[in-house]
Amino acid sequence: MSLPEIVSRAEWRAAREALLAKEKAATRARDVLNAERRRLPMVEIGKEYVFEGGDGKATLPDLFEGRDQLVVYHFMFAPEWDAGCRSCSAFLDQIGHLVHLRARGTSFAAVSRAPYPKILQFKARMGWTLPWYSSYVSDFNADFEVTLEHEGALVERPGLSCFLREGDRVFHTYSTYERGLDGLGSTTSLLDLTALGRREEWEEPKGRASALGAPAGSEGVRYHDEYEF
């Protein structure tokens, strides 16, 4: 086994400070990249997608649950499978309390091609309470490039897509797949993928922190049992 070199505390401190400078540079570079992502153009969704969830049939606007933004995790679960993808399951295991996303006007849902009864059974096994919908009867997975045709067969890949709602209009703002999911799962990491971001005043471009009338800033963070909704 290859282990780190053993050094004195002073040597460790010097090496740590050198690395810290690089970590701070990476943080600043990430802020720039996130701002560039928020500046991406968006595409209006004209097709009506039909999903099945705990309350029966649902459309894409329904998945917003009345909020401005929606983050969809494309969970790999083909109709013929008896259980969901192990890696996708590990991803959902690390999703935090959804109330913190919702406080920033953002909903989260998983979507899979498996019929809803299979999803419901597996969801109960995993002990998850987050919203999870079946896209079995729609083109949603194909249109968002997570169910692909390869050598005459359909194959699944994991992904995540972000949507923005303005009145009755829904827009697709961002998608990422496979290794693009690395490091995601926390509230801030998911918000950083959205068009409105964390809704902090320091974020670029300016003017989106209070967009669509949503609360802005980290000063609005509460214990998860203290939010008033």
Side-chain angles (χ1 to χ4, degrees):
M1 181 184 297
S2 177
L3 298 176
E5 179 185 3
I6 300 174
V7 297
S8 68
R9 174 59 64 180
E11 291 172 308
W12 179 89
R13 174 59 63 186
R16 177 68 190 95
E17 289 178 354
L19 179 62
L20 179 60
K22 295 179 180 179
E23 289 175 337
K24 289 184 176 181
T27 297
R28 291 191 290 269
R30 186 179 65 234
D31 288 342
V32 172
L33 182 62
N34 289 340
E36 188 171 347
R37 183 185 295 112
R38 288 189 290 273
R39 290 188 177 97
L40 279 174
M42 59 187 184
V43 179
E44 187 165 7
I45 305 297
K47 181 183 290 189
E48 182 174 333
Y49 296 103
V50 178
F51 306 91
E52 185 176 358
D55 295 325
K57 302 297 182 184
T59 63
L60 186 58
D62 292 330
L63 272 57
F64 283 77
E65 298 177 331
R67 300 181 184 92
D68 302 330
Q69 297 194 121
L70 169 66
V71 176
V72 168
Y73 181 65
H74 301 286
F75 191 110
M76 295 170 59
F77 196 166
E80 65 273 16
W81 298 359
D82 293 325
C85 164
R86 289 182 174 86
S87 295
C88 290
S89 297
F91 184 91
L92 284 196
D93 277 339
Q94 65 189 8
I95 296 295
H97 208 297
L98 293 183
V99 71
H100 297 295
L101 275 175
R102 293 167 178 167
R104 305 285 180 107
T106 303
S107 292
F108 179 93
V111 173
S112 303
R113 275 201 310 132
Y116 188 68
K118 282 191 173 184
I119 289 175
L120 190 61
Q121 183 178 27
F122 186 68
K123 179 180 176 181
R125 172 187 167 185
M126 294 292 100
W128 296 326
T129 58
L130 53 79
W132 192 354
Y133 296 87
S134 170
S135 61
Y136 181 67
V137 297
S138 81
D139 299 326
F140 186 76
N141 276 45
D143 289 351
F144 287 91
E145 302 178 18
V146 289
T147 298
L148 307 171
E149 187 172 345
H150 179 68
E151 297 182 351
L154 294 178
V155 296
E156 308 288 326
R157 68 168 174 166
L160 187 148
S161 294
C162 299
F163 302 90
L164 179 68
R165 185 178 64 87
E166 187 176 20
D168 295 330
R169 304 173 72 188
V170 172
F171 302 88
H172 175 219
T173 61
Y174 182 74
S175 285
T176 189
Y177 307 95
E178 298 169 340
R179 285 296 304 278
L181 301 170
D182 288 357
L184 300 180
S186 67
T187 296
T188 52
S189 70
L190 295 175
L191 289 171
D192 283 344
L193 302 182
T194 67
L196 302 182
R198 305 183 191 187
R199 306 194 184 200
E200 301 279 1
E201 294 293 348
W202 57 266
E203 288 181 308
E204 296 288 345
K206 298 297 185 183
R208 297 191 186 177
S210 57
L212 306 178
S218 57
E219 67 274 8
V221 174
R222 301 285 185 267
Y223 295 112
H224 70 247
D225 62 351
E226 289 184 348
Y227 289 106
E228 297 178 355
F229 60 86

